[in-house]
Amino acid sequence: MPELPVAWKPQAENVVFGKEVSRIDGVDKATGFAKYSADINTPGTLHGKLLQSPYAHARIKAIDVEAARKVPGVKAVYVFPDRAPRTNEETGEPIYFEIEHEGQPIAAVAAETSGQADDGLRAIKVVYEPLEFFVDEFHLPRAVELGRARPIRAAQQGDLEGAFKAAAHTITGMYGIQTISHMCLEPHGSHCEFTDGDHLTAHLSTQNVSGTPGQFASPLGLDAAKVHVSCDYMGGGFGSKFAADEWDIACAAMARDAQRPVKLMLDRATELNIPGSRPSAFAEITVAADADGKLVAWDSHHWGTSGPQGGTVAPTVMPYVFEPKNRRTRATGIVTNRGPDRAWRAPNHPQACALTQTAIDDLAAAIGVDPYDLFLKNLDLTWSATSRNPADKDIYAAELEIAAKLMDWKAKWHPRGEAGDGPVKTGLGLALHTWGGAAGRGTCTVAIHPDGTVETFSGTQDLGTGTRTALAVILAESFGLPYEKIKVHIGSSKYPMSGPSGGSTTIGGVSGPHRRAALKALGRIYDLVAAKHSVDAGTLTAANEQILSAGKPVCTWAEACSLLGPMKVEFQGEGPANDGLTSAQVGGVQMAEVAVDVETGVTKVVRYVAVQDIGTIVCREQAKSQVLGAMIMTIAYALSEERIMDNATGRFVNADLQHYKLPRIGDIGELIVEFYEPESQYKKGVIGLGEPPVISGGAAISNAVANAVGQRIPVLPLTPKRILDSLRS
Amino acid sequence: MRNFEYAAADSEADALSLLADHPGETAILAGGTDLVSLLQKELVNPRRVVDISRVSELKAIEPTDDGGVRIGALATLEELLASPLAAEYPSLRDVASAIRAIQIQQYGTIGGDLCHLPNCWYFRKGYGLLGDSNGRALSEEGDNRYHAIFGNRGRAKFVSASRFAPSLIAWDASVRIAGPAAGEEAWLPLEQFFVTPKGDQQGVTRLAPGQLITHLELTPAAGRLSGAYEVLEMSGLDWPLAAAASTLEMEGGVVSRAKIVLGHVAPTPWVSHPAADVLRGQPITEATAELAGEAAVSEASPLKDNEYKVRLAKTAVKRSLLRAAGANV
């Protein structure tokens, strides 16, 4: 028969695809059977630890590690590249390494016990020359004065001055969102072991299984083919785990020196400090509307810091989603001695949304209209109406309507500040967002055994999102098998290449190749069954562990597979391909109801609604979990989570789970997730969902607090201090 | 963490003798909820850790002859919550139930709470209790959003970490200190137990090397009202931004004596005489509670980043009084 057409099954025929299923590795994770990098303890494993700079900015004038080598139990000592003073060969001048932030690694030791590793670290002598540091990301004039500010870009379009003059309503405000850390539940790190002399196996907590062998190989002078990266399970990455980091290279180098396995996982303080943060952003914004409430002009200048690189939020996403015709955006990055940034779930979008859609909400309050109506009225100014075309304004309108029903918006909404006389004020807020989520690159090998067993091999990884389950569901639906019976092998760089898990590219990146491989396999099997049973291959389908012809059973799945011959047969899939299995561009609307105790400044999320379009849904339960996780993460950065950099010491003073405040169950409130899914969404193709639901909640919660207390609390997170300071002034 | 010698005591006398061997170089392990992190960060580096958690004579919660209650220093917060005797002191239950982490409730002891070292981030980063760096007062210059708004004119700006001290002091509790010599003991009003260090070598309590606290004693609860309110930002394990506890003696519907103690606002638990004074002769109403809150913060001296704590302290006083009067706030 000709090749089966490449498409998902008609929606009504699906048995597991798009349905609610339990994770195939849920029990393994819950029982501890699933092994994470920190769980790997091959015989003889040494404890690796880092020596880090207590200074935010300093020169290293000398390092002496000799005493550390003699400490009982210490088996290897490693000095990070360039840390030790060198001499410029031409001038004879000494070259000193410049520490750029507190916590920067200087050296590492590997020892028999954790305590001996500490003894080894204490024996290392480092002479620092402390330098002036700067960690203030908020006060722009100070940064300018000290030469720490870098203008990034100014963009202007339309007649800004004329538009502001003609506008009926104009507001100017200051807005901001503080830096946060990725704070992965499982910290960064690896277990490294050499076998056969120069073959490295690295159990690395990574979002990039297929891409990291080369990152180990090059600095260690190994062939990439001799490096095996393994990551069966991981506890989150959020954009911070794409690399074999310098501490992983240290781990591997010490394993080679000691000829013993070494494990080096970051401790919690270090996990908070050095392996990634989301840049802060603060802005002065003026936005105007005409008498009908249509946005007509926008002028913003935002600043913030990504750390020593001196970046801030990309100006290309300002203003966020709503684009008045007349607009100007400016941005300034600040060079700070703060741990560097890394991509954080929907890079730039949460900050841009928190700056933009709070200002628009303030404009609605100034006009005296319900922001729901103002947002609705301006949907033709969303990026959907421009060349960016990320989401559809009609979908936003539908999602606003669904969210409003779930929130009971029209009944509950009150004008800003009219929340009654008691100390606890409630309020509502909303915001909306968009994201791409196109399929990443991926390949896979699906093997069908003569006994009917199906397994797949793919060098992708499961961040914790449910990738394993998604692959099982896709193959199970394709072959008419129970999804629990599919053997899924991922998390090894020995498997067929699959792209890094970032930018919400994974589900599209793995589902397309698997469906394509499955269709190839099915075509082959249908031909064999047709020949053997004298039926028309074009009438065949696979369901209930059987092959059916026009709905009537012909043979069992296992009998069909036995026709493949005595050996397993492998089918390759790759992607992305422009065949409709995957797509891109989604939108979503979020609404929050909060209760603010104005005598304590303590804010609780009462109810939080997320309505999201995501194209074709593969695993409904896991998709919902993605949204729930994003909402919880949003409540954290909206209300309590922030990196506090101390101007007196240059240090990250709350790098612990006591003062780096993350919500617990009691802080979460009622979360409601609703997918926008008319038939057109199923036909759209699979799109990634990881980032979009974490974008607009910060603005929605801030808007709800403003609605409750009667004024904007300008900077997220909305801690008791910020709320009471604002209310007092 | 540095190496140390571990010694487990099985009686009070045993504990004192194990502490006496290495004067000034010992640490006492009870629940470990504070000590272990101090050891990990090498903020305390004892030669010997004396584990007293098996000393059964320090665990009981029992009635005293005069109708009060005696609480062993090793009573866990969970035991305190479960104790019918402690239930007669509602402000203690308000605090115990506000420590929402089950692990801390199970392991944390009342004695450990009283000896908990400050959570000041400068102290926890190794700059000492006074937060000094080459003569610079970090907790004055740096980020002091969680620091003291009372009693902060000296070098110490941190806040006392004890959750229970305000309510215990409001109940006029006294504390038994044993040692350093075998058989040596002293009873001290808990109010006098805490000190504000003036120099780098001083601690936050009167405990001398070789001593330990063994028991607390509370006077009879009968006829008195009490309530405590902690302003907690988070619903899970979190430290109060400010707290207050009130114990009231009432006569004919008005306050005849009030003891109001604030927590997490000063280097020691902070007894507010102005707040007590305005309540004398008054019934407890929303208005009088508000006035007491205002009186309590009238002498506050906030630092550059913690003006907001003045509002919180006022609210905590008001709500502790309303709780004492039976309101659900």
Side-chain angles (χ1 to χ4, degrees), chain B residues 95-109:
Chain B
V95 175
S97 57
I99 297 171
R100 293 158 180 154
I102 295 168
Q103 297 93 329
I104 304 289
Q105 287 185 348
Q106 288 187 334
Y107 276 85
T109 64

Side-chain angles (χ1 to χ4, degrees), chain A residues 102 118 122 597 599-600 604 642 644 646 648 651-652 658-659 661-662 666-667 720-721 728, chain B residues 1-2 42 119 122 125 127 136 142-143 145 233-235 238-239 305 307 311-312 315 318-319:
Chain A
E102 180 208 8
D118 285 336
R122 267 195 301 275
D597 183 336
E599 292 182 353
T600 62
K604 297 293 175 199
E642 67 180 305
I644 301 174
D646 174 45
R651 301 180 77 173
F652 178 0
Q658 176 181 332
H659 289 120
K661 297 193 177 191
L662 296 171
D667 298 304
K721 171 177 163 55
R728 195 176 65 245
Chain B
M1 193 184 289
R2 291 172 191 256
E42 301 184 7
N119 293 312
Y122 296 112
K125 282 261 186 193
Y127 295 101
R136 292 166 61 209
D143 196 311
R145 71 184 70 186
E233 183 175 358
M234 312 301 293
S235 298
D238 195 16
W239 291 85
D305 299 323
E307 174 82 35
R311 183 75 174 88
L312 299 182
T315 302
K318 178 173 102 171
R319 293 186 182 180

Side-chain angles (χ1 to χ4, degrees), chain B residues 61-147:
Chain B
I61 301 174
E62 54 201 0
T64 57
D65 296 340
D66 68 353
V69 62
R70 178 183 271 219
I71 302 170
L74 288 179
T76 64
L77 312 188
E78 189 180 59
E79 286 159 356
L80 203 66
L81 271 171
S83 158
L85 285 170
E88 293 177 32
Y89 301 83
S91 59
L92 294 184
R93 291 179 65 92
D94 288 342
V95 175
S97 57
I99 297 171
R100 293 158 180 154
I102 295 168
Q103 297 93 329
I104 304 289
Q105 287 185 348
Q106 288 187 334
Y107 276 85
T109 64
I110 189 86
D113 171 80
L114 296 174
C115 296
H116 198 293
L117 287 174
N119 293 312
C120 164
W121 42 40
Y122 296 112
F123 169 62
R124 300 276 164 173
K125 282 261 186 193
Y127 295 101
L129 277 173
L130 301 176
D132 274 0
S133 174
N134 298 321
R136 292 166 61 209
L138 297 177
S139 41
E140 191 163 328
E141 262 183 62
D143 196 311
N144 48 35
R145 71 184 70 186
Y146 297 130
H147 285 73

Side-chain angles (χ1 to χ4, degrees), chain A residues 694-705:
Chain A
V694 87
I695 296 170
S696 62
I701 290 170
S702 178
N703 292 342
V705 169

Side-chain angles (χ1 to χ4, degrees), chain A residues 321-369:
Chain A
V321 179
F322 291 98
E323 256 179 351
K325 285 196 180 63
N326 308 292
R327 60 183 187 270
R328 178 171 68 158
T329 54
R330 290 168 291 160
T332 303
I334 302 177
V335 178
T336 53
N337 299 107
R338 200 205 67 179
D341 74 322
R342 291 186 178 184
W344 190 96
R345 208 167 180 178
N348 299 309
H349 285 232
Q351 300 102 306
C353 187
L355 300 179
T356 303
Q357 296 187 19
T358 45
I360 293 173
D361 183 76
D362 281 350
L363 184 61
I367 299 171
V369 298

Side-chain angles (χ1 to χ4, degrees), chain A residues 170-377:
Chain A
T170 304
I171 62 110
T172 295
M174 188 270 158
Y175 304 87
I177 176 166
Q178 293 284 351
T179 300
I180 59 172
S181 297
H182 291 68
M183 235 304 288
C184 303
L185 186 59
E186 179 199 20
H188 288 62
S190 58
H191 176 282
C192 292
E193 181 165 12
F194 279 85
T195 50
D196 303 331
D198 60 352
H199 283 70
L200 169 64
T201 298
H203 285 90
L204 175 71
S205 182
T206 182
Q207 301 176 236
N208 192 5
V209 164
S210 294
T212 37
Q215 298 180 19
F216 274 106
S218 174
L220 293 166
L222 299 171
D223 294 342
K226 290 183 175 176
V227 180
H228 173 214
V229 169
S230 173
C231 178
D232 284 337
Y233 296 92
M234 66 183 299
F238 311 108
S240 67
K241 289 183 178 169
F242 291 118
D245 280 303
E246 55 182 350
W247 49 87
D248 301 312
I249 306 302
C251 181
M254 292 193 294
R256 183 164 62 182
D257 285 356
Q259 287 298 300
R260 295 266 295 272
V262 177
K263 183 161 62 184
L264 198 165
M265 305 298 294
L266 301 188
D267 61 28
R268 185 52 61 187
T270 309
E271 175 65 21
L272 277 158
N273 196 353
I274 65 172
S277 63
R278 185 180 79 179
S280 56
F282 309 94
E284 282 162 357
I285 294 170
T286 302
V287 58
D290 66 15
D292 292 334
K294 289 288 278 199
L295 301 174
V296 292
W298 172 274
D299 189 15
S300 66
H301 176 203
H302 72 265
W303 65 93
T305 187
S306 61
Q309 309 94 320
T312 183
V313 166
T316 48
V317 290
M318 287 288 288
Y320 189 69
V321 179
F322 291 98
E323 256 179 351
K325 285 196 180 63
N326 308 292
R327 60 183 187 270
R328 178 171 68 158
T329 54
R330 290 168 291 160
T332 303
I334 302 177
V335 178
T336 53
N337 299 107
R338 200 205 67 179
D341 74 322
R342 291 186 178 184
W344 190 96
R345 208 167 180 178
N348 299 309
H349 285 232
Q351 300 102 306
C353 187
L355 300 179
T356 303
Q357 296 187 19
T358 45
I360 293 173
D361 183 76
D362 281 350
L363 184 61
I367 299 171
V369 298
D370 183 340
Y372 180 92
D373 298 326
L374 189 104
F375 274 63
L376 196 61
K377 184 169 286 182

Side-chain angles (χ1 to χ4, degrees), chain B residues 286-312:
Chain B
E286 181 88 21
T288 58
E290 177 87 18
L291 282 176
E294 276 170 22
V297 298
S298 59
E299 290 170 349
S301 52
L303 304 169
K304 70 179 172 57
D305 299 323
N306 66 9
E307 174 82 35
Y308 76 106
K309 287 187 64 167
V310 176
R311 183 75 174 88
L312 299 182

